[in-house]
Amino acid sequence: MEGICKLCEQLDLDPLEDVRVLVLLWKMGANKKPAEIQKEEWMAACHKLQLDSIDSFKKFLPQLDTGFMDREEFGDFYKFCFQFNRAGTHKTLEKDLVVALLRMCLAGGRVEPDRLDSFCDFLESTKDETYSKITLDQWRSFLDFSYEYPNAKSLEGYDDSESAWPVLIDEYCEYMGKKMGKKK
Amino acid sequence: MSSSQNQPVIQLEDGWNNVIKKGAIDVLERTLDDGFDTSFEPKEYIRIYTTCYDMCTQRSPYNWSRDLYQRHGETIEAYLRNTVLPALQDKTGQGGTILLNELKHRWSNHQIMNKWLRKFFTYLDRYYVKHHSLPTLEMAGLHHFKSEIYQNCKENTTSAIISLIDEEREGEIIDKTLVKSIAELFESMGTGSLDAYTFDLETPLLEATRSYYGRKREDWIAKDSTPDYLIKAEKALGEEKTRVMEYLNPSTEPKIRKVVEDEILQKVQTNLLEKEGSGCSVLLANDKTDDLQRMFHLFSRLENGLQPMANIVEKFITAQGNACIEKRQAKLDSGEKDKNDDPEFVKSLIDLHEKYLSVIRETFASHHLFQKALKNSFEEIVNNDVGQYSNAELMSTFCDRILKSGGEKLSEAEVEQSLDRIVQLFSFLTDKDLFAEIYRNQLAKRLLNQRSASDDAEKALIAKLKVQCGTQFTSKMEGMLNDLAVGSEQKNEFDQRMEQHGDTKLSFGVQVLTIGNWPSYKAPEVALPAQMSKCMEVFKEWHDAKHQKRRLTWVHSLGNATVRATYGKKFYDLQVTTLQAVVLAAFDNGQTYGFTELKDKLNLDDITLKPIMHSLSCGKQKVITKSPAGNKITSTDSFSPNAKFTCNMRKIRIPVASVESSHNKNRVEEDRSVAIEAAIVRIMKARKTLSHQQLVAEVLSQLAFFKPQPRVIKKRIEALIDREYLERSSENSQQYNVSLLISFWRCNPSLFFASYNFLRYVLIKSVPCLSGE
């Protein structure tokens, strides 16, 4: 973890703000344990990506934009974001962390900003204790949900009694429905 | 052929004119016109027959078979055309009956004529007709009648018949035999099939019937109430049936019935059922059994005719039930406290159910649609909870009232009946598990406090519940009863043991309960007086020797004791709980304790001790004085025995306010979660991949004792996804797959079931019963 911070410093990246750090780690295949990259993983990745100096890392940086990924790659990366940010053996992420992460990796047009904002707002405003921690299923479902209903203004055709979306998404839709109802 | 050799050849014109026409046809026509019955002398008949025979058997070219056959036809044709038709046309316009009579007359004439001609020419039938595949003479005769007469006057005839029938419908008396014979004429005209009858008489008749009853319907519906209308309809249907039987072809019966039903029932069904002031619900409200029965029978004739009626019945019963609920609501609104032991509401529901059950049985012949309606409406009523107590709790408390001693005074048969009915009501309940939980708590209280009025009644009710919901549902309750039964068997054995022991003065009894069957109770580790703990040791020793693998947990909070307290010269028997007794024993030497001091001494917590002290020092019988005096126990209070205590009764019960609620809602919730998850896993194990809707539907169908919201099921699915029992299908986010991890589960199925239903482990709790002096 410290090593990662050091690397970031040298590359002029802010690990709390810049999604490229996560992309880099994802590309390097830091899958084994959350929040760290194993030596073997590091070595293998450096070899494969031909990274042998800070300069080469810097040259590599521009490729690390999430915009370059196709859907499948991004899905994989998105899941990685969740897994990498877990603490030790925990299976869930704290809500605050989830909001920050969502804003970080879904920025840049992957998901419509309105959808992202409203979802984060919903998460922050909800008082339901069970949502203080977010599960992988809920995390992944949000991305799929955003693909399925790309237009942030419209939830037409959404029926919570029929769909298999997690209850979190159901409740988000209810929240949105109320919000939109108010506007009208 | 011998005759042709001996006799001269008969020429055609000769034979026809001189013998056949003169001797047979002319005679025949004359007698028919005169109205006499025709019959020929055998001799005469033989002569004509022989002539015909000869003419048909002469060798060609003198064989006149063809000519005779032709002339036979022409004769009939000519007679019909020249004599019969004008006569009929004459009668047309003079009224239906006259025309029909004439037709009847002419028809019977024709039959006579046809008969005789067939007899004379019978030899033709035998060879000539057969060889040339021609219609037989009889058929030919009929054909001629059909084409000459029937075709010309059938419309008039039909309308004459119809107007006669209409007259009869209006109550006039008509010549039924006449109509019958004409109907038969129509039947004959089909020559073997009923086509002519169907097309020429039946179809117009059905149409006429339709318009007749159409008019009637408009008339009746405007003037009559539903019951009156139905009486008329029933009568009309009956009349039409007799009519067909009396003078029409039986095949008409279903058709005409259909038409009439269609006109007078189907078309105004909604109108009749919903008619203001006399519709179905009004009849129900006024218990008009006969009218309802009639309505039921009439509408049961129609296809799907009962459904709308059943819907009304369902709505009506639901409304009645809601009225009961509203009454309760109104009571609550008016500020009355909601009591769970108020039997009125449950009673009103039971009465309602009883009433409509018998209505459906007696009036609606237990038709399945109506049974379903009753079921639907009661499912709605029974699951409509208002107020603080759920209906499940009210029903359970209702049972409690019946079953506990000192409750309602009922005879055995009445108890049986009440239980039967409450179980029927129970069967509509969705939250059956909630009922079971509450019921178990109340049962436990009854059993442990010896408040149960009758063991048999308890068993009877449990048996009824078992029939409704299966063994699994009642296993715990049965276990509870069983514990008591075993307990009383072993009591004697233990008492003997106590006597042998001899060194304790207390009389002491223990009830051993199987954990899991009983509700969970608090088991405070109270510091007992030496005498009491001695008893417990004796029992433990005895019990351990008997059952090696059991562990005893002493639940003193359920025990009770009789303490003899001496105040000056008087002594009283205080009937108290074990915990109260322990507290009293602490004051044995007349000491004064502070609340905290007492708490430490007895090893009890605030929540347990406070109500006990309250009961002893603030209740009706103040056996202990509290200082400062007041109605609330605080931790700074101090207590001492009330030396001035007097009471004019020797036996005194000192009740403790119960702090535990009658059931544990969380426990029900938890049980449900486990049950739902178990169901999901079971289904997914069998199906491997399933869509969300299918899964939810199957889960709902598997859960017998309650009906969770779909969202609750969804939460359980998510929980299973989190625990990696399931995963979302990668192809379709609306489907789930069973994850590979299930195989782990398969190795260890008890993981689920142990906590679900089948409690395999046995822990023992027991209740000491203590009486001290």
Side-chain angles (χ1 to χ4, degrees):
Chain A
M1 191 70 201
E2 278 164 34
I4 296 171
C5 287
K6 215 168 182 183
L7 179 68
C8 292
E9 247 168 59
Q10 289 185 357
L11 296 175
D12 278 339
L13 294 174
D14 179 354
L16 298 178
E17 290 287 328
D18 203 321
V19 71
R20 284 181 294 181
V21 182
L22 282 170
V23 181
L24 178 65
L25 284 162
W26 171 66
K27 286 222 164 174
M28 296 184 77
N31 293 327
K32 224 167 192 174
K33 277 188 180 170
E36 46 189 270
I37 179 162
Q38 304 289 307
K39 195 170 180 190
E40 307 91 73
E41 291 171 339
W42 171 265
M43 295 306 282
C46 284
H47 189 71
K48 200 176 99 197
L49 301 169
Q50 295 182 328
L51 301 169
D52 47 11
S53 63
I54 292 298
D55 277 346
S56 60
F57 269 106
K58 278 190 176 160
K59 273 185 203 145
F60 190 54
L61 281 184
Q63 294 180 36
L64 297 177
D65 198 284
T66 52
F68 290 131
M69 299 179 207
D70 64 23
R71 238 179 211 211
E72 201 175 318
E73 278 176 316
F74 186 79
D76 196 37
F77 165 69
Y78 183 77
K79 187 179 163 195
F80 167 80
C81 290
F82 184 89
Q83 301 288 26
F84 191 77
N85 284 290
R86 286 183 297 135
T89 54
H90 285 211
K91 281 191 162 178
T92 51
L93 292 187
E94 295 292 329
K95 187 163 80 181
D96 301 342
L97 179 61
V98 164
V99 171
L101 270 177
L102 280 176
R103 287 191 191 283
M104 192 155 106
C105 53
L106 294 180
R110 180 68 59 176
V111 165
E112 195 167 310
D114 275 357
R115 164 76 72 232
L116 180 60
D117 285 344
S118 61
F119 188 69
C120 291
D121 288 349
F122 163 71
L123 276 183
E124 278 163 353
S125 68
T126 183
K127 286 181 188 73
D128 194 326
E129 277 298 307
T130 51
Y131 296 143
S132 60
K133 295 200 167 56
I134 298 299
T135 65
L136 177 62
D137 183 48
Q138 290 165 339
W139 169 264
R140 289 178 71 177
S141 293
F142 176 64
L143 183 64
D144 292 337
F145 172 75
S146 308
Y147 289 154
E148 197 91 358
Y149 298 91
N151 184 353
K153 295 280 181 310
S154 156
L155 288 169
E156 222 165 275
Y158 189 89
D159 179 356
D160 68 355
S161 61
E162 296 271 303
S163 71
W165 297 109
V167 178
L168 176 71
I169 301 286
D170 286 345
E171 286 179 2
Y172 163 69
C173 288
E174 255 168 40
Y175 166 84
M176 287 306 286
K178 268 184 209 156
K179 226 168 112 181
M180 283 192 254
K182 262 183 206 164
K183 271 182 197 165
K184 275 172 198 168
Chain B
M1 293 295 126
S2 59
S3 62
S4 62
Q5 284 161 1
N6 306 336
Q7 289 174 11
V9 169
I10 305 169
Q11 292 299 319
L12 172 65
E13 293 304 328
D14 187 31
W16 179 261
N17 285 333
N18 294 337
V19 183
I20 302 174
K21 184 144 175 37
K22 209 198 243 164
I25 297 171
D26 288 346
V27 177
L28 197 56
E29 289 186 1
R30 211 167 35 243
T31 49
L32 285 180
D33 287 343
D34 294 345
F36 298 119
D37 193 16
T38 329
S39 86
F40 288 85
E41 291 289 318
K43 212 172 155 196
E44 183 66 8
Y45 166 68
I46 292 293
R47 190 175 69 90
I48 297 165
Y49 173 80
T50 316
T51 314
C52 285
Y53 174 86
D54 288 344
M55 288 172 82
C56 293
T57 48
Q58 292 172 140
R59 279 178 198 279
S60 199
Y62 303 110
N63 184 311
W64 310 116
S65 294
R66 198 173 65 86
D67 302 77
L68 281 187
Y69 184 76
Q70 206 178 341
R71 284 182 190 210
H72 163 263
E74 279 164 5
T75 310
I76 295 177
E77 224 173 72
Y79 178 74
L80 290 172
R81 189 180 295 153
N82 300 330
T83 317
V84 179
L85 191 58
L88 281 170
Q89 276 162 346
D90 227 29
K91 298 288 193 290
T92 316
Q94 294 185 15
T97 330
I98 297 169
L99 174 70
L100 291 181
N101 269 321
E102 183 67 24
L103 185 62
K104 182 187 168 193
H105 169 64
R106 292 297 175 180
W107 168 240
S108 66
N109 275 356
H110 173 76
Q111 281 172 312
I112 295 165
M113 182 174 180
N114 208 19
K115 183 182 83 190
W116 279 110
L117 288 181
R118 185 174 55 82
K119 281 186 175 173
F120 296 140
F121 294 96
T122 201
Y123 193 75
L124 276 175
D125 254 354
R126 224 171 274 165
Y127 289 98
Y128 177 75
V129 166
K130 264 194 193 148
H131 283 202
H132 293 78
S133 312
L134 292 166
T136 58
L137 292 175
E138 190 181 1
M139 289 314 272
L142 273 178
H143 278 304
H144 292 306
F145 188 84
K146 188 172 178 183
S147 57
E148 291 302 324
I149 306 299
Y150 176 72
Q151 295 298 354
N152 282 317
C153 63
K154 65 181 180 192
E155 274 104 25
N156 288 333
T157 318
T158 308
S159 62
I161 292 182
I162 289 171
S163 67
L164 275 180
I165 290 180
D166 276 356
E167 277 171 33
E168 193 190 37
R169 280 178 181 145
E170 289 296 344
E172 285 174 37
I173 291 167
I174 59 161
D175 184 354
K176 288 178 187 167
T177 12
L178 175 62
V179 184
K180 186 176 164 71
S181 53
I182 303 293
E184 278 164 7
L185 164 70
F186 275 95
E187 285 165 31
S188 314
M189 286 298 106
T191 52
S193 79
L194 272 176
D195 288 353
Y197 172 80
T198 325
F199 288 126
D200 296 330
L201 179 62
E202 191 181 78
T203 314
L205 174 64
L206 291 179
E207 262 162 44
T209 310
R210 188 176 286 281
S211 77
Y212 176 83
Y213 282 109
R215 286 195 306 277
K216 283 287 158 198
R217 179 188 70 224
E218 296 304 325
D219 186 28
W220 293 346
I221 199 83
K223 284 195 298 203
D224 295 329
S225 68
T226 297
D228 292 345
Y229 183 102
L230 291 174
I231 292 172
K232 286 182 181 169
E234 192 179 41
K235 191 162 153 259
L237 282 161
E239 282 171 2
E240 291 306 321
K241 194 173 173 175
T242 8
R243 186 171 346 278
V244 175
M245 268 173 12
E246 276 173 354
Y247 51 79
L248 292 172
N249 187 291
S251 69
T252 310
E253 210 268 329
K255 295 180 197 166
I256 206 161
R257 191 179 64 208
K258 175 88 185 49
V259 167
V260 180
E261 284 167 359
D262 196 40
E263 281 303 316
I264 59 175
L265 295 175
Q266 187 88 58
K267 287 191 175 163
V268 283
Q269 186 175 16
T270 356
N271 204 331
L272 284 172
L273 286 173
E274 287 164 11
K275 197 162 181 122
E276 219 172 297
S278 64
C280 183
S281 46
V282 180
L283 296 181
L284 281 168
N286 297 317
D287 303 324
K288 297 277 190 206
T289 314
D290 291 345
D291 293 331
L292 285 170
Q293 206 162 9
R294 183 172 301 113
M295 184 182 266
F296 170 75
H297 284 306
L298 288 175
F299 285 129
S300 66
R301 292 161 159 265
L302 305 181
E303 200 183 331
N304 295 328
L306 289 173
Q307 191 61 58
M309 196 171 162
N311 290 346
I312 291 183
V313 171
E314 183 178 329
K315 245 190 250 163
F316 179 78
I317 300 178
T318 312
Q320 293 275 305
N322 284 335
C324 294
I325 292 172
E326 271 159 30
K327 213 165 139 197
R328 183 165 123 83
Q329 180 75 58
K331 234 173 163 183
L332 297 180
D333 288 346
S334 69
E336 201 168 311
K337 201 169 161 266
D338 193 9
K339 286 182 290 188
N340 63 359
D341 60 351
D342 183 8
E344 207 170 298
F345 174 66
V346 178
K347 219 169 189 156
S348 65
L349 289 187
I350 288 180
D351 291 346
L352 189 69
H353 183 257
E354 259 329 285
K355 179 172 170 191
Y356 287 101
L357 191 67
S358 75
V359 166
I360 282 163
R361 195 173 46 229
E362 278 150 30
T363 313
F364 301 138
S366 296
H367 192 276
H368 67 96
L369 280 177
F370 291 90
Q371 288 181 341
K372 203 172 148 214
L374 182 73
K375 183 165 166 270
N376 287 346
S377 50
F378 264 87
E379 268 171 7
E380 192 179 328
I381 297 163
V382 168
N383 294 305
N384 186 353
D385 287 340
V386 291
Q388 184 188 349
Y389 295 106
S390 65
N391 290 342
E393 182 156 2
L394 292 174
M395 280 159 64
S396 174
T397 316
F398 187 83
C399 296
D400 191 48
R401 272 175 65 90
I402 296 173
L403 291 171
K404 84 180 164 194
S405 54
E408 292 194 19
K409 298 269 179 290
L410 295 171
S411 73
E412 227 167 87
E414 280 172 323
V415 169
E416 174 78 21
Q417 196 188 30
S418 299
L419 295 183
D420 254 339
R421 291 175 176 178
I422 191 87
V423 170
Q424 273 174 345
L425 209 55
F426 160 78
S427 67
F428 301 115
L429 199 64
T430 355
D431 295 333
K432 292 196 173 62
D433 56 341
L434 183 66
F435 175 88
E437 186 69 21
I438 301 168
Y439 185 80
R440 230 149 45 80
N441 271 288
Q442 292 175 336
L443 175 64
K445 253 187 217 163
R446 283 200 298 276
L447 294 179
L448 296 179
N449 298 337
Q450 275 105 45
R451 297 287 309 275
S452 177
S454 147
D455 219 24
D456 289 340
E458 294 285 1
K459 278 185 189 151
L461 181 58
I462 291 175
K464 286 183 211 304
L465 291 175
K466 198 173 179 176
V467 171
Q468 281 282 339
C469 301
T471 9
Q472 181 198 318
F473 189 75
T474 52
S475 63
K476 290 183 178 180
M477 302 172 194
E478 285 169 323
M480 289 161 76
L481 286 181
N482 194 36
D483 278 350
L484 289 194
V486 171
S488 64
E489 272 171 32
Q490 294 187 343
K491 192 172 177 299
N492 288 338
E493 203 181 318
F494 175 67
D495 282 349
Q496 281 170 5
R497 166 91 189 179
M498 276 299 275
E499 269 169 36
Q500 284 169 18
H501 231 265
D503 55 355
T504 168
K505 291 178 211 147
L506 301 182
S507 77
F508 170 68
V510 181
Q511 177 59 53
V512 181
L513 312 175
T514 312
I515 198 170
N517 284 347
W518 297 75
S520 46
Y521 296 109
K522 270 192 280 182
E525 294 272 335
V526 64
L528 294 169
Q531 272 186 321
M532 285 161 87
S533 41
K534 178 86 190 162
C535 292
M536 276 169 58
E537 266 162 40
V538 175
F539 181 81
K540 193 168 167 357
E541 209 175 281
W542 174 78
H543 187 266
D544 284 354
K546 257 179 102 77
H547 311 276
Q548 267 94 20
K549 283 183 184 157
R550 293 189 184 172
R551 193 169 65 84
L552 287 175
T553 311
W554 295 83
V555 188
H556 297 294
S557 55
L558 291 175
N560 47 54
T562 308
V563 178
R564 177 157 299 175
T566 322
Y567 291 90
K569 281 179 189 163
K570 276 183 166 178
F571 61 86
Y572 301 97
D573 282 344
L574 306 180
Q575 292 185 319
V576 290
T577 66
T578 307
L579 292 178
Q580 282 174 311
V582 171
V583 172
L584 287 173
F587 289 97
D588 203 14
N589 305 326
Q591 268 165 311
T592 304
Y593 291 102
F595 183 82
T596 334
E597 207 182 333
L598 196 62
K599 200 173 83 180
D600 293 343
K601 183 178 158 66
L602 298 176
N603 192 24
L604 287 171
D605 52 11
D606 281 20
I607 311 162
T608 325
L609 189 54
K610 272 186 181 170
I612 296 174
M613 294 321 292
H614 189 270
S615 68
L616 294 173
S617 61
C618 309
K620 213 169 152 197
Q621 315 292 353
K622 294 183 176 53
V623 290
I624 281 179
T625 334
K626 179 174 94 82
S627 70
N631 244 338
K632 236 181 167 177
I633 307 291
T634 62
S635 46
T636 53
D637 291 343
S638 67
F639 304 93
S640 57
N642 181 4
K644 286 174 242 156
F645 178 81
T646 52
C647 178
N648 44 16
M649 280 184 298
R650 219 173 70 86
K651 269 193 173 174
I652 306 167
R653 240 173 69 90
I654 305 178
V656 191
S658 153
V659 272
E660 282 170 63
S661 75
S662 66
H663 67 283
N664 191 342
K665 258 222 147 109
N666 289 341
R667 182 164 168 167
V668 177
E669 286 297 316
E670 274 167 35
D671 283 355
R672 284 184 176 187
S673 296
V674 177
I676 296 173
E677 286 186 5
I680 295 172
V681 171
R682 237 183 353 252
I683 294 162
M684 291 306 292
K685 238 181 100 184
R687 306 289 290 267
K688 306 295 183 230
T689 299
L690 212 56
S691 78
H692 177 73
Q693 282 107 300
Q694 281 172 306
L695 179 56
V696 171
E698 289 219 18
V699 169
L700 282 173
S701 73
Q702 284 213 358
L703 296 171
F705 305 138
F706 62 99
K707 225 180 233 148
Q709 294 291 314
R711 195 168 270 196
V712 177
I713 301 178
K714 211 183 209 178
K715 282 213 158 164
R716 286 351 299 165
I717 297 175
E718 282 170 47
L720 287 170
I721 291 176
D722 284 344
R723 281 184 275 150
E724 298 178 16
Y725 284 104
L726 307 179
E727 61 186 12
R728 286 178 195 280
S729 168
S730 45
E731 296 104 60
N732 183 347
S733 64
Q734 301 287 305
Q735 287 197 335
Y736 304 111
N737 287 340
V738 187
S739 128
L740 286 175
L741 274 165
I742 286 296
S743 51
F744 155 71
W745 180 84
R746 195 174 287 156
C747 314
N748 189 7
S750 58
L751 185 80
F752 246 101
F753 288 115
S755 53
Y756 177 37
N757 260 323
F758 309 104
L759 286 154
R760 300 225 177 85
Y761 52 93
V762 178
L763 285 175
I764 306 296
K765 282 184 186 174
S766 70
V767 194
C769 240
L770 179 110
S771 107
E773 290 194 337

